[in-house]
């Protein structure tokens, strides 16, 4: 007969307690595919957003997606289109959506590489402010730090401008960094990062 150690026993009890708390029976059972089909209305059913100012969420880092959905839900990140979408979502829905979209392949948004002038301008900022220190070598991100490589150009520019203006305050580190650069730098960064290819990836 196998005997459980005290810690194994405790982990077992905690796991049972955790699932009992976070998995309430929904009033209307909806599959993750049904919930995600709502998202496709704007974020695209093949991962290509319907509008240039809408971000790609396919293949984005799970923890980052989770944080954003939570921040929209509590009003920490403000957006007219996302607010009514997250309003009815439970914590369990948000966790399931973050997992679902993080497992999808990042789409090729067919954005051109930036021109040499724009590259030079963007690289000067990226190196001096050490963006790769957090967003990683190929701007692929990590956990709560989002992937930037191949994200939509106009969305990147918009959201960096929001940090710059203090309209997006989800992370004060990003607000401070974006306040230290100007509009022309932000535009160059958007074009450079949108056209950046991670070796071996779309
Ligand atoms: C009516 C259009 C619309 C629908 C439907 C929609 N979104 Fe969005 N979503 C947006 C827009 C616009 C933004 C960009 C907000 C901004 O500029 O700050 C966004 C941003 C996001 C972000 C932040 C991404 C990033 O890179 O910061 C996440 C995550 C997200 N949406 C997830 C979802 C999920 C999950 C669903 C479905 C449950 C959904 N969205 C449905 C329009 C929509
Ligand atoms: C100290 C770590 C750190 C550094 C350095 C940093 N970032 Fe970030 N960045 C983050 C984090 C964390 C987030 C997610 C913020 C949130 O939760 O909303 C983020 C978010 C972003 C976003 C939003 C992406 C999206 O999908 O909405 C952009 C764009 C961005 N960073 C660009 C940059 C650029 C360009 C630089 C260099 C000038 C930079 N970052 C430097 C940590 C960092």
């Amino acid at each position: 007969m196998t005997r459980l150690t005290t810690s194994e026993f405790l982990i077992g009890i905690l796991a049972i307690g955790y699932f009992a708390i976070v998995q309430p029976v929904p009033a209307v059972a909806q599959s993750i595919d049904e919930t995600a089909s709502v998202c496709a209305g704007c974020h695209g059913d093949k991962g290509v957003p319907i509008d240039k100012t809408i971000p790609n969420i396919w293949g984005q880092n799970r923890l980052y997606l989770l944080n954003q959905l939570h921040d929209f839900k509590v009003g920490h990140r403000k957006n007219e289109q996302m607010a009514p979408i997250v309003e009815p979502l439970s914590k369990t829905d948000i966790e399931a959506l973050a997992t679902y979209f993080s497992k999808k392949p990042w789409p090729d948004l067919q954005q051109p590489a930036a021109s040499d002038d724009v590259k030079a301008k963007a690289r000067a900022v990226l190196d001096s402010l050490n963006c790769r220190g957090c967003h990683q070598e190929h701007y692929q991100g990590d956990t709560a730090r989002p992937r930037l490589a191949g994200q939509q150009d106009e969305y990147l520019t918009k959201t960096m401008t929001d940090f710059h203006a203090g309209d997006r305050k989800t992370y004060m580190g990003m607000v401070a960094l974006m306040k230290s650069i100007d509009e022309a730098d932000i535009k160059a960064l958007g074009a450079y990062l949108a056209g950046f290819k991670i070796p071996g990836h779309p």
Side-chain angles (χ1 to χ4, degrees):
M1 179 182 128
T2 38
R3 290 203 51 195
L4 293 176
T5 62
T6 311
S7 61
E8 280 168 342
F9 178 71
L10 279 175
I11 288 166
I13 295 288
L14 286 172
I16 293 163
Y18 179 75
F19 286 114
I21 294 163
V22 300
Q23 297 196 323
V25 177
V28 181
Q30 216 183 15
S31 74
I32 181 71
D33 288 316
E34 284 170 320
T35 314
S37 68
V38 175
C39 319
C42 292
H43 292 281
D45 60 4
K46 300 238 168 11
V48 179
I50 60 156
D51 192 284
K52 294 277 180 207
T53 58
I54 300 177
N56 162 52
I57 56 173
W58 278 38
Q60 184 55 277
N61 301 324
R62 182 180 183 275
L63 187 58
Y64 175 71
L65 292 174
L66 197 64
N67 286 346
Q68 300 313 302
L69 291 170
H70 173 264
D71 283 355
F72 282 126
K73 171 109 182 153
V74 299
H76 193 188
R77 179 169 173 185
K78 297 187 194 322
N79 180 261
E80 279 177 1
Q81 295 182 76
M82 280 303 294
I85 300 291
V86 289
E87 209 263 330
L89 301 179
S90 67
K91 185 169 177 277
T92 315
D93 296 333
I94 286 179
E95 286 183 349
L97 284 164
T99 302
Y100 177 91
F101 284 109
S102 67
K103 286 187 174 157
K104 294 276 186 189
W106 185 278
D108 183 355
L109 303 178
Q110 317 262 347
Q111 300 181 106
S115 67
D116 287 348
D117 286 357
V118 170
K119 274 186 184 160
K121 194 175 176 60
R123 280 189 187 134
V125 177
L126 292 159
D127 291 345
S128 66
L129 297 180
N130 192 25
C131 309
R132 286 186 302 273
C134 291
H135 291 280
Q136 307 293 301
E137 190 54 29
H138 304 295
Y139 307 101
Q140 73 272 36
D142 176 31
T143 62
R145 278 94 60 117
R147 171 168 167 173
L148 307 174
Q151 182 55 279
Q152 299 253 64
D153 184 351
E154 284 178 41
Y155 167 73
L156 285 172
T157 305
K158 177 195 177 278
T159 208
M160 286 189 279
T161 304
D162 288 348
F163 280 126
H164 175 86
D167 292 337
R168 178 173 172 187
K169 299 198 198 83
T170 43
Y171 178 54
M172 294 317 283
M174 278 304 303
V175 174
L177 284 168
M178 292 298 126
K179 279 201 187 295
S180 74
I181 60 176
D182 65 17
E183 205 181 309
D185 290 332
I186 289 178
K187 248 187 139 218
L189 288 174
Y192 178 83
L193 293 166
F196 190 95
K197 297 266 181 268
I198 298 180
H201 287 260

